[in-house]
Amino acid sequence: MRFLMSVLIAFVCSLGSAQSVAKPILDVETPFEVTYQSLKLYPNPVVTNATLEFKLLRTSNVQVNLLNILGAQVRSLVNENRNQGKQVFQFSADQLERGTYFIRLKIDNEIIKTIRVAVSPS
């Protein structure tokens, strides 16, 4: 029993020291605020119009594209330089067929996030 306790104590101590030594492998600064709700789209499913929101940490070139289920671009929603801060874009689902699409956010020519969008026109 003592042997088991000493092994357990040694194991716990080694965990503590390993955690204090561990450092992040990547320390990359991104112009995009990465949080659970980094990129919001509402309403989803989209019936007529939708709103897309995100936050830029610095002035950047922003591209937002609507892609079909195969990944082909259906529509370019935004392609411009935007200032730092909260970004809000509106887009219309008019002339889109019912189905699944994706919105891809690129900042400074780097794909940041892709989210699924359901379109259910009335």
Side-chain angles (χ1 to χ4, degrees):
M1 186 66 160
R2 266 187 214 188
F3 174 74
L4 225 45
M5 283 301 266
S6 60
V7 169
L8 181 60
I9 290 170
F11 177 73
V12 170
C13 289
S14 70
L15 282 179
S17 64
Q19 288 175 350
S20 63
V21 174
K23 293 183 181 177
I25 295 172
L26 292 175
D27 189 15
V28 178
E29 188 177 310
T30 177
F32 180 66
E33 180 181 53
V34 180
T35 64
Y36 174 70
Q37 295 183 333
S38 298
L39 185 60
K40 297 180 199 174
L41 174 79
Y42 55 89
N44 193 5
V46 179
V47 177
T48 54
N49 294 310
T51 302
L52 182 68
E53 289 183 13
F54 59 92
K55 184 177 180 182
L56 286 176
L57 299 179
R58 64 176 183 255
T59 300
S60 304
N61 178 267
V62 175
Q63 296 173 349
V64 180
N65 296 311
L66 183 68
L67 311 173
N68 66 16
I69 195 76
L70 300 174
Q73 181 175 317
V74 174
R75 208 182 276 176
S76 176
L77 303 175
V78 177
N79 187 5
E80 62 190 16
N81 284 325
R82 301 293 297 202
N83 292 328
Q84 171 183 354
K86 183 178 179 181
Q87 308 297 313
V88 180
F89 301 102
Q90 303 274 327
F91 81 92
S92 171
D94 291 347
Q95 301 174 354
L96 289 177
E97 294 182 23
R98 174 184 302 260
T100 300
Y101 294 84
F102 297 93
I103 289 186
R104 175 167 291 155
L105 171 65
K106 289 174 82 174
I107 298 177
D108 294 332
N109 217 21
E110 181 182 340
I111 296 172
I112 301 296
K113 190 153 180 143
T114 303
I115 59 172
R116 187 182 61 78
V117 179
V119 173
S120 301
S122 52

